[in-house]
Amino acid sequence: MKFFSTRNKGLSASFKEVLLNGLAPDGGLYMPAKIPKMSMDFFKSQQSFEELAVNIIYPYVKEEFSLSKLTDICEDAFNFPIKIKNLNESDLILELFHGPTLAFKDFAARFLAQTMFFLQADNKKKLTILVATSGDTGAAVANSFYDIDNIDVIVLYPSNKVSGIQEKQITTLGKNITALEVAGTFDDCQRLVKKAFVDKEIISSLNLSSANSINFVRLLPQATYYAWAWKKSKINDSIIFSIPSGNFGNLTGGLLANQMGLPVEMFIASLNINDAFVKFLKSGKLSEKKAIKTISNAMDVSIPSNLERIKNIFDSDLREINKKISTWSFSDSLTKKMIKNIYEEYNYLVDPHTAVGVLGLNEYRLNFKNLKKGVVLSTAHAAKFSNVVEPIIKQKIELSEVVKSLLDKDKLSIKMNNEFASFKEFLLSV
Ligand SMILES: *Cc1c(COP(=O)(O)O)cnc(C)c1O
């Protein structure tokens, strides 16, 4: 498979280049030159999630990995369950949070770590992965790459804007994982990382790579669980997905699955009050606004980094985007109410991000009177946001042993201001 850049269709990159470079040399995002089509029967006939993942991903990686190597990678990367909870006849919750850091980002980060490890094995120069995080990506990437030979990870996270568990997940590993605590927002972290990738001095001294959702390879495992949810829902026609969204990597994974042939009625981009995408779908324009802190902090993003891919998929045709993606934004108070409602009505606990997803699905049904099956992607375990959730349900959430032991570990971070000069100085000194 060859890949092009959203800013240059003529550019041609291999899977290995896409994986290790993250961003295309012209600053654009990589996209596959051709998305292989699959039939409904194909999706239905897959017996396990691993089998489905291998068969979906293989066409993109076959120049680098044999089918059996890819099978090993997928078995290692996806070594935790995916569960589906039926709230009622029509509404399902796809639980993507059973990985080691309790968020869906484990799928992408673990797949990335495995593939990078194998492609990096014969490289003499150490790889340095930069990752900006609003909380969960940093945790998942740190955990997935921990103690991997020949790869260093530098995580930039916004000080005081991630949850306690998230911060511990990022800052307590040590070894090849460095945590930079940035005085600023997620957008600041992302800006610093993006600038580093185009800084001549930095890229000549370090062998940089990215693990953010700008890396196309993250989208592949994220496409697979849409297909798995559709298969497990046992329907013959199209389905609705509601995705709690920030940088829109998860949603773009869904669009990819749809392009492969998965029948999807509508993607709902469910947002907190960081609602740039709502305005974009109306006007085609993005307004620059600072990200606002919310209780669904992994979605506190002002400019979704995958928007460039979404525009590319739909040839920047706003009407076509509106046919496939609906979007709404919800306040923290509605989110809290929804957590309470779901708990009382179904005796089921969701985290704030997932609650935003349920709000989005409900809003869609209200507006479009559509009763088709709908799947809410549950992106994190409620325990990760116990500070928000416990006061709402007036109960303690049982923490797993892994999380408990994490809370006793010491935080190790390097504090930094949000100026590029400081970040550059740090990078050139490591
Ligand atoms: C990262 C994250 C999101 C947003 O996903 P994007 O791919 O950035 O849109 C939603 N919920 C949780 C829990 C997350 O960690």
Side-chain angles (χ1 to χ4, degrees):
M1 176 78 69
K2 287 291 174 199
F3 296 80
F4 64 88
S5 158
T6 47
R7 299 191 188 165
N8 176 7
K9 287 232 149 99
L11 184 141
S12 175
S14 68
F15 175 79
K16 183 169 180 175
E17 287 169 309
V18 169
L19 175 72
L20 297 178
N21 298 346
L23 205 64
D26 59 2
L29 305 183
Y30 287 116
M31 287 293 279
K34 187 168 174 288
I35 295 175
K37 291 266 183 275
M38 283 133 186
S39 67
M40 295 219 271
D41 284 341
F42 161 81
F43 293 119
K44 277 188 192 159
S45 65
Q46 306 299 305
Q47 292 307 311
S48 66
F49 177 72
E50 287 76 14
E51 183 184 339
L52 176 70
V54 168
N55 287 327
I56 284 182
I57 295 171
Y58 186 58
Y60 300 86
V61 305
K62 63 179 182 213
E63 280 83 13
E64 316 287 349
F65 299 118
S66 67
L67 202 56
S68 77
K69 182 88 242 174
L70 180 65
T71 305
D72 291 345
I73 288 174
C74 287
E75 278 173 0
D76 249 341
F78 314 132
N79 63 352
F80 50 89
I82 304 183
K83 297 180 188 168
I84 298 179
K85 158 89 185 171
N86 288 283
L87 281 188
N88 51 44
E89 279 286 288
S90 60
D91 300 351
L92 316 177
I93 306 273
L94 182 66
E95 295 183 349
L96 300 171
F97 53 71
H98 297 289
T101 68
L102 310 181
F104 82 97
K105 297 213 169 68
D106 284 326
F107 282 91
R110 292 176 65 80
F111 182 73
L112 209 60
Q114 292 291 323
T115 47
M116 278 192 184
F117 171 68
F118 283 111
L119 290 184
Q120 172 67 9
D122 51 339
N123 196 340
K124 298 218 166 47
K125 196 164 176 195
K126 190 186 259 183
L127 195 65
T128 302
I129 295 179
L130 299 183
V131 54
T133 186
S134 53
D136 287 334
T137 294
V141 169
N143 185 285
S144 304
F145 283 85
Y146 177 63
D147 217 6
I148 286 189
D149 258 3
N150 218 16
I151 303 182
D152 280 347
V153 174
I154 298 171
V155 182
L156 290 80
Y157 74 95
S159 184
N160 292 321
K161 293 190 180 67
V162 302
S163 83
I165 294 181
Q166 286 171 332
E167 185 166 45
K168 290 280 185 176
Q169 286 173 330
I170 296 166
T171 59
T172 57
L173 289 164
K175 281 200 179 168
N176 61 329
I177 313 293
T178 304
L180 289 187
E181 183 176 353
V182 176
T185 61
F186 166 71
D187 288 316
D188 288 321
C189 299
Q190 184 149 272
R191 173 178 50 82
L192 294 176
V193 167
K194 281 195 170 167
K195 267 189 143 168
F197 276 94
V198 291
D199 185 285
K200 292 219 166 64
E201 253 179 286
I202 295 174
I203 54 182
S204 70
S205 116
L206 291 172
N207 186 13
L208 286 189
S209 187
S210 157
N212 274 105
S213 57
I214 53 171
N215 196 318
F216 174 80
V217 177
R218 275 187 49 168
L219 304 184
L220 288 173
Q222 294 179 174
T224 59
Y225 46 65
Y226 286 87
W228 185 245
W230 180 80
K231 176 201 148 74
K232 295 298 267 186
S233 70
K234 296 201 174 68
I235 51 172
N236 280 311
D237 62 351
S238 60
I239 196 167
I240 303 160
F241 285 107
S242 175
I243 305 103
S245 294
N247 271 310
F248 284 63
N250 211 7
L251 194 143
T252 308
L255 292 174
L256 202 62
N258 183 224
Q259 300 237 301
M260 292 173 196
L262 191 76
V264 180
E265 177 90 3
M266 184 62 81
F267 291 97
I268 303 159
S270 299
L271 311 176
N272 62 29
I273 50 164
N274 293 287
D275 62 351
F277 191 72
V278 175
K279 291 181 185 132
F280 170 78
L281 272 196
K282 286 203 187 105
S283 67
K285 294 198 185 75
L286 271 181
S287 49
E288 288 253 1
K289 259 195 338 193
K290 275 211 160 138
I292 300 161
K293 187 176 169 175
T294 73
I295 57 170
S296 46
N297 67 8
M299 312 198 296
D300 296 351
V301 177
S302 66
I303 300 168
S305 59
N306 276 284
L307 194 58
E308 192 161 329
R309 280 203 173 95
I310 296 176
K311 286 197 218 164
N312 182 274
I313 289 172
F314 295 97
D315 274 333
S316 293
D317 185 334
L318 206 56
R319 259 186 326 187
E320 290 302 313
I321 302 180
N322 272 284
K323 278 189 206 158
K324 209 59 217 172
I325 310 176
S326 298
T327 186
W328 287 275
S329 102
F330 303 97
S331 66
D332 278 356
S333 76
L334 281 172
T335 307
K336 286 180 184 167
K337 267 193 200 134
M338 183 50 87
I339 294 173
K340 187 161 189 273
N341 285 352
I342 298 171
Y343 190 67
E344 285 171 357
E345 191 169 348
Y346 302 109
N347 191 25
Y348 182 70
L349 191 56
V350 295
D351 92 292
H353 304 79
T354 308
V356 171
V358 178
L359 282 163
L361 180 60
N362 287 358
E363 195 67 32
Y364 175 73
R365 293 210 193 281
L366 269 176
N367 280 270
F368 289 81
K369 307 276 174 280
N370 191 319
L371 295 176
K372 283 197 173 179
K373 273 209 174 159
V375 178
V376 175
L377 273 61
S378 181
T379 48
H381 194 295
K384 224 172 166 175
F385 301 92
S386 52
N387 56 329
V388 177
V389 175
E390 284 176 351
I392 297 173
I393 61 166
K394 301 191 172 63
Q395 268 184 52
K396 281 261 169 224
I397 303 174
E398 189 56 42
L399 294 179
S400 69
E401 287 309 314
V402 182
V403 174
K404 274 190 212 152
S405 70
L406 201 61
L407 295 179
D408 294 333
K409 290 190 186 154
D410 290 331
K411 163 178 156 183
L412 260 174
S413 74
I414 298 172
K415 295 206 167 144
M416 187 161 285
N417 61 33
N418 64 359
E419 277 157 36
F420 183 65
S422 319
F423 183 48
K424 179 167 175 173
E425 191 185 334
F426 169 79
L427 284 181
L428 294 176
S429 73
V430 292

